[in-house]
Amino acid sequence: MLPSSVCAITQSESYCNFAELSLMDFLKSAVASAISKGPPFPYTFGDRVDVDQSIWTLYNGTKREDGSNCSIFSFDITANKSRLPLARNALKKLRTLRHPGVIKVLDTVETETYIYIATERVIPLKWHIKRKSMSPETLKWGLFSVAQTIKFINDDAASIHGTLRVASLYTSESGEWRVGGFEVLSNVKDDEAIIYNYGSLVPDAARYTPPELAKSGWDSIKRGPISAVDSYNFGTLIFEVFNGDFSGGDQAGQTKNIPPSMHSSYRRLVNSNPKSRVSVGHFLDQGRRSGGFFDTPLIKLTESVDNLGMKSEEEREEFLNDLDNLSDDFPEDYFRMKVLPELLKSVEFGGGGPKVLSVVMKISVKLTDEDFEARVTPVIVRLFASPDRAIRVALLDNLPLMIDRLSQKVVNDRIFPNMVTGFVDVAPVVREQTVKAVLTIITKLSDRTINGELLKYLAKTANDEQPGIRTNTTICLGKISKNLGVGTRSKVLIAAFTRSIRDPFVHARNAGLMALAVTCDTFSEEDCANRILPALCLCLLDKEKLIRDQANKAIDVYLQRVRKYAAEMPDSVLPPPSSIDNSTNAPRMSTPQPSASEGASWAGWAISSFTNKVSAAAGEIQPTSTPDPRASSAPQTPRPAPTTASASSLHRQVVSPPAASARTSTSSASADYFAPIDTPGEDDGDAWGDMDGDSFFDAPTETPKVSTTLKSAANPFEDNGEPDFAGWLAAQAQKKPGAKPLPKGLGKPANGAARPAPGRVSTTGSIGTSVKKAAAPVVKKPVVSKKIDTAPKADDGDDGWGDGW
């Protein structure tokens, strides 16, 4: 057994060894982590992109600093050491060669194990070619861009690309074609250029090698023109983009699917004799001639879009005409990334005008919701605040194209407050387009905005001086009726539509009738019967047949609804007969009993109703011993003579409804259509001549106090029970001292004219000239008058909104 001191030393040594091993493991893991991460590279690798016929592995990436998109070309040195010179040459040339048609390099890094090249986000062109997703015009545009880049490499850089094919081309986020594949790009002045020794190491080089190189080797490039190799490869590229693939030299010169305008120049590119081949630069010049294969609207647009704001009015007009000539298969990405920003700047700052805005809307249809919100929405909001009327009309015309992309908050809080200025603009076209635009934005507005500010402005346009604007306002209200608040819907629509059907413009009346017909379900049955149907009846005798026909259709709709509702109502609201006193079962005086013939009794009902109203106004009828109603013609007790009543006041009692409750709905319903009249004085005889007017149905504003007794003739019901009302008036006028003459039509015939026979009407044509035979005096009996409140009921439901209509 070891001493305790020895054990302590052993434990201490073991602890030190364990700590040393732990430190070594930590350092190893840190070194391994550092090796795996490599040198500082501020980009994050994303998904791998499949690339054929390339020494590079392509990844989608993002920049850590701002999260922007990029692409990362990766080369594994350990796995492809034999092709390392090709990778290093591509890295060098991409760093030094700068041209818009070349892939833009962001950053590079090289270690002993790998090479990374971070570039703008690109997509292999082969993807589009295989899917045939590009139109012939877009393919021409891409070839035009590549030809410009190759011309720069051959002429300005004095270099040879050497591997021009679909696999070495890419498309950027804007849809533009980018040239890559710089593995053997070489300057011809360099005797040790890589293309001479490593050209055959490029993947699938044999398929695209020109015939003279296939026979004599890559060193024979020195004996030919500098552009010969790239000219041949550009010719094979033309065949490949239009046909999808190029299998070998046997297809060089074939014109399948190639546009006919290119055939001649294309054949000269792939000539078997390198000295007879046309250069890419010369091919480009031939295509750009007037009427050439590169003289297309798309190519013209791409050449001039960068300086659109600097163009003159004529040049801008030509540019926009080229845009209009483009079909819907234009390269969407290019228009989104390049053309659209320039157009937006031109509209907002460069005076592009409505035509440019229309093109912007055409392009924006292709955008995603995120792109539209980021690029277009801010400009649209600012343009609505512009005082330019042409821009405002163009915005309103294009609202249907953009409304689904605009959020409710943007429309309600930012666009609508600027849009409402159009309702009161001095230009009629702006007012009219603003009214029409309401239908487009109504779903994006809050209930408070709709029932408040919007209705306030529509009330103004409903009374606009332009009949077309009034008509469109009526149509607009009819279509947005479901969006209005329940509390204001009925009041607003009835006020607007009933006013519209009285509009002097025929189409405004027609719009009002049609709007009422389609919004029938919006109103209550009481409003249908009391307010709408009376207004519709005015149109039944309209001077225009169009209005008469439409009025009949609208009335049929409302009658059908009212009848359906009435059929569900109870037969009576009176208490059951058993609860009524038996004494009330006796027939009333002067009230005929139902007759078997309805056509023969309708006049009797009218006379009896009139008599009952007079009796109710004068007092109760005393029962007689004879149950027969016709016995009322017997002599009666004399009554005191009238003291304060006049013909005018009596007439108002006679024609006024028996009670205010029965008149309330009628007076309130007619208040919107007929103007109230003043109450005539007691001795104002002219009031009788106003009975044939619409104001006849309005109640007087005050109730005359009547305290009178009626004096009847000896036989007031001599003519088959009919009252001698005219005779009674004549007798009262003669007995009253200093009485004024009776109103016209109620006095006795002049010049001793003979009275008409009983029951017959005088030929003078005046109402009430039928005079009864002289009757014996009857006993007069005092009758207590009944005070009637004829003041119209106030419409508590109108809070003043309808005054605007």
Side-chain angles (χ1 to χ4, degrees):
M1 186 173 184
L2 294 176
S4 59
S5 59
V6 175
C7 292
I9 294 173
T10 305
Q11 291 176 359
S12 178
E13 290 178 352
S14 299
Y15 177 78
C16 292
N17 292 336
F18 176 77
E20 183 179 356
L21 291 174
S22 299
L23 178 60
M24 291 180 63
D25 291 340
F26 173 76
L27 293 176
K28 285 182 180 180
S29 62
V31 171
S33 177
I35 292 175
S36 63
K37 292 182 179 179
F41 190 64
Y43 298 90
T44 303
F45 285 79
D47 299 333
R48 177 175 175 176
V49 180
D50 293 332
V51 180
D52 296 334
Q53 304 170 358
S54 177
I55 65 173
W56 300 94
T57 302
L58 181 61
Y59 295 90
N60 290 328
T62 56
K63 190 175 182 179
R64 293 181 187 145
E65 182 180 357
D66 56 7
S68 58
N69 293 331
C70 68
S71 292
I72 301 175
F73 289 86
S74 174
F75 180 79
D76 188 353
I77 295 177
T78 58
N80 296 286
K81 200 164 187 179
S82 62
R83 293 175 175 173
L84 179 59
L86 298 177
R88 286 178 174 171
N89 185 71
L91 175 63
K92 177 182 177 182
K93 297 302 181 181
L94 282 172
R95 280 176 174 174
T96 57
L97 190 64
R98 299 292 181 180
H99 189 270
V102 175
I103 296 177
K104 182 180 179 181
V105 177
L106 304 178
D107 198 358
T108 62
V109 62
E110 181 180 358
T111 67
E112 294 181 355
T113 57
Y114 55 82
I115 298 175
Y116 294 152
I117 304 176
T119 69
E120 61 179 322
R121 175 63 65 87
V122 293
I123 299 173
L125 177 64
K126 197 171 186 67
W127 287 13
H128 301 286
I129 299 301
K130 284 184 177 181
R131 296 197 304 263
K132 296 182 179 181
S133 59
M134 293 184 175
S135 65
E137 292 301 317
T138 304
L139 294 175
K140 286 183 182 180
W141 170 62
L143 290 172
F144 173 79
S145 176
V146 173
Q148 286 182 313
T149 306
I150 298 302
K151 178 184 178 181
F152 169 78
I153 292 174
N154 293 158
D155 298 346
D156 298 337
S159 301
I160 301 174
H161 187 279
T163 59
L164 187 60
R165 63 194 72 169
V166 169
S168 62
L169 300 180
Y170 302 86
T171 60
S172 66
E173 287 186 299
S174 63
E176 297 173 279
W177 291 20
R178 297 284 191 257
V179 178
F182 286 174
E183 289 79 10
V184 295
L185 190 146
S186 304
N187 191 311
V188 294
K189 298 179 181 179
D190 185 4
D191 294 337
E192 300 298 329
I194 193 173
I195 192 172
Y196 303 136
N197 300 319
Y198 293 92
S200 59
L201 294 180
V202 176
D204 209 9
R207 191 168 18 143
Y208 298 95
T209 300
E212 68 274 12
L213 300 185
K215 292 179 181 179
S216 306
W218 287 80
D219 192 62
S220 62
I221 295 176
K222 300 177 181 179
R223 297 187 292 271
I226 187 176
S227 62
V229 176
D230 288 341
S231 295
Y232 181 86
N233 289 152
F234 191 79
T236 60
L237 175 66
I238 293 175
F239 182 89
E240 194 171 10
V241 298
F242 283 107
N243 293 276
D245 195 13
F246 179 77
S247 58
D250 295 340
Q251 291 182 329
Q254 295 183 8
T255 58
K256 180 182 179 182
N257 296 328
I258 297 177
S261 58
M262 283 187 176
H263 288 176
S264 176
S265 299
Y266 158 71
R267 291 192 183 97
R268 295 180 65 185
L269 285 172
V270 293
N271 194 302
S272 58
N273 185 358
K275 295 183 179 180
S276 301
R277 292 173 193 157
V278 63
S279 67
V280 176
H282 187 68
F283 177 85
L284 180 65
D285 294 337
Q286 289 180 338
R288 298 184 67 174
R289 294 174 182 174
S290 179
F293 45 83
F294 285 153
D295 185 20
T296 65
L298 180 58
I299 293 175
K300 287 181 180 180
L301 182 145
T302 56
E303 287 188 297
S304 58
V305 69
D306 293 333
N307 57 348
L308 178 60
M310 304 297 294
K311 292 182 179 297
S312 63
E313 188 66 28
E314 293 76 12
E315 292 174 336
R316 187 187 295 114
E317 188 70 20
E318 183 180 0
F319 173 82
L320 296 176
N321 290 334
D322 292 338
L323 277 178
D324 290 340
N325 292 334
L326 293 176
S327 58
D328 293 334
D329 58 359
F330 56 76
E332 299 176 9
D333 294 334
Y334 180 77
F335 277 74
R336 175 174 58 89
M337 299 292 294
K338 290 289 187 178
V339 179
L340 184 60
E342 294 297 327
L343 292 176
L344 290 174
K345 287 190 293 185
S346 176
V347 173
E348 192 170 4
F349 307 110
K355 192 169 184 179
V356 177
L357 181 62
S358 299
V359 177
V360 168
M361 291 297 102
K362 180 180 178 182
I363 298 173
S364 64
V365 173
K366 306 288 185 178
L367 300 179
T368 62
D369 292 341
E370 293 77 9
D371 287 337
F372 187 93
E373 183 177 0
R375 299 175 183 272
V376 182
T377 299
V379 179
I380 295 300
V381 172
R382 290 194 295 268
L383 288 178
F384 263 105
S386 172
D388 190 339
R389 288 192 177 93
I391 290 293
R392 172 62 62 86
V393 173
L395 286 170
L396 296 175
D397 287 340
N398 289 280
L399 262 180
L401 299 177
M402 67 177 85
I403 191 62
D404 292 335
R405 305 290 191 92
L406 299 173
S407 66
Q408 183 174 2
K409 182 175 180 60
V410 169
V411 175
N412 190 78
D413 298 344
R414 304 182 65 184
I415 291 180
F416 184 76
N418 291 322
M419 176 180 163
V420 295
T421 58
F423 288 109
V424 293
D425 195 88
V426 296
V429 64
V430 178
R431 301 198 302 272
E432 184 171 14
Q433 292 302 115
T434 305
V435 171
K436 292 180 179 179
V438 170
L439 300 180
T440 304
I441 68 170
I442 190 67
T443 57
K444 298 287 185 175
L445 299 179
S446 64
D447 293 340
R448 181 176 182 180
T449 302
I450 294 173
N451 296 286
E453 193 170 5
L454 177 61
L455 288 182
K456 179 181 69 175
Y457 283 105
L458 289 179
K460 295 181 182 295
T461 56
N463 293 277
D464 197 273
E465 61 182 6
Q466 297 292 328
I469 297 178
R470 298 197 302 269
T471 304
N472 287 329
T473 302
T474 302
I475 296 173
C476 175
L477 283 170
K479 292 187 176 182
I480 69 172
S481 59
K482 300 298 183 183
N483 301 97
L484 301 181
V486 177
T488 59
R489 183 184 303 164
S490 178
K491 177 177 61 176
V492 170
L493 296 184
I494 292 177
F497 296 159
T498 53
R499 175 166 291 187
S500 180
I501 62 178
R502 298 194 302 269
D503 196 289
F505 187 52
V506 59
H507 296 291
R509 299 199 300 275
N510 188 50
L513 291 171
M514 295 180 69
L516 281 171
V518 299
T519 58
C520 178
D521 296 336
T522 306
F523 312 115
S524 65
E525 287 78 6
E526 290 76 7
D527 285 337
C528 293
N530 298 335
R531 303 183 63 187
I532 299 178
L533 278 173
L536 290 175
C537 291
L538 299 177
C539 299
L540 292 176
L541 297 179
D542 195 275
K543 295 180 180 180
E544 299 293 334
K545 185 177 185 298
L546 172 68
I547 304 303
R548 298 194 298 271
D549 294 343
Q550 190 62 43
N552 278 284
K553 295 178 182 179
I555 288 177
D556 290 341
V557 172
Y558 280 89
L559 282 177
Q560 183 178 2
R561 183 177 178 197
V562 171
R563 286 168 176 166
K564 181 179 179 181
Y565 179 76
E568 299 174 355
M569 296 176 64
D571 293 343
S572 176
V573 294
L574 298 177
S578 59
S579 62
I580 302 177
D581 186 51
N582 294 332
S583 61
T584 60
N585 293 333
R588 296 181 61 189
M589 187 66 64
S590 304
T591 303
Q593 299 303 310
S595 171
S597 176
E598 181 180 358
S601 63
W602 71 271
W605 277 106
I607 297 299
S608 300
S609 177
F610 177 77
T611 307
N612 289 336
K613 289 181 181 179
V614 175
S615 302
E620 297 179 356
I621 300 178
Q622 300 297 328
T624 62
S625 58
T626 305
D628 185 6
R630 303 181 67 85
S632 60
S633 58
Q636 300 178 3
T637 305
R639 302 176 183 175
T643 57
T644 59
S646 64
S648 177
S649 61
L650 179 60
H651 168 69
R652 287 195 298 272
Q653 291 182 12
V654 170
V655 300
S656 297
S661 59
R663 191 190 63 255
T664 301
S665 60
T666 305
S667 62
S668 61
S670 63
D672 293 338
Y673 317 117
F674 307 112
I677 60 173
D678 295 332
T679 303
E682 290 185 354
D683 297 330
D684 188 2
D686 295 337
W688 294 96
D690 297 332
M691 293 178 61
D692 57 344
D694 293 338
S695 59
F696 171 73
F697 298 96
D698 286 340
T701 58
E702 61 181 354
T703 304
K705 298 179 180 180
V706 179
S707 177
T708 182
T709 57
L710 299 179
K711 181 177 180 180
S712 302
N715 190 10
F717 295 93
E718 183 177 348
D719 284 337
N720 298 326
E722 295 184 2
D724 186 7
F725 187 63
W728 178 85
L729 288 176
Q732 296 299 318
Q734 291 176 359
K735 287 190 176 185
K736 186 176 181 181
K740 295 182 180 181
L742 291 177
K744 183 179 179 180
L746 294 179
K748 294 183 179 181
N751 301 327
R755 294 186 180 182
R760 298 182 182 180
V761 180
S762 171
T763 58
T764 59
S766 299
I767 299 176
T769 56
S770 177
V771 183
K772 305 298 179 180
K773 293 181 180 181
V778 297
V779 179
K780 294 182 290 183
K781 186 177 182 179
V783 180
V784 181
S785 64
K786 186 178 180 180
K787 183 176 179 181
I788 302 175
D789 183 11
T790 57
K793 298 293 183 180
D795 188 2
D796 297 333
D798 191 356
D799 58 359
W801 190 97
D803 296 340
W805 296 96

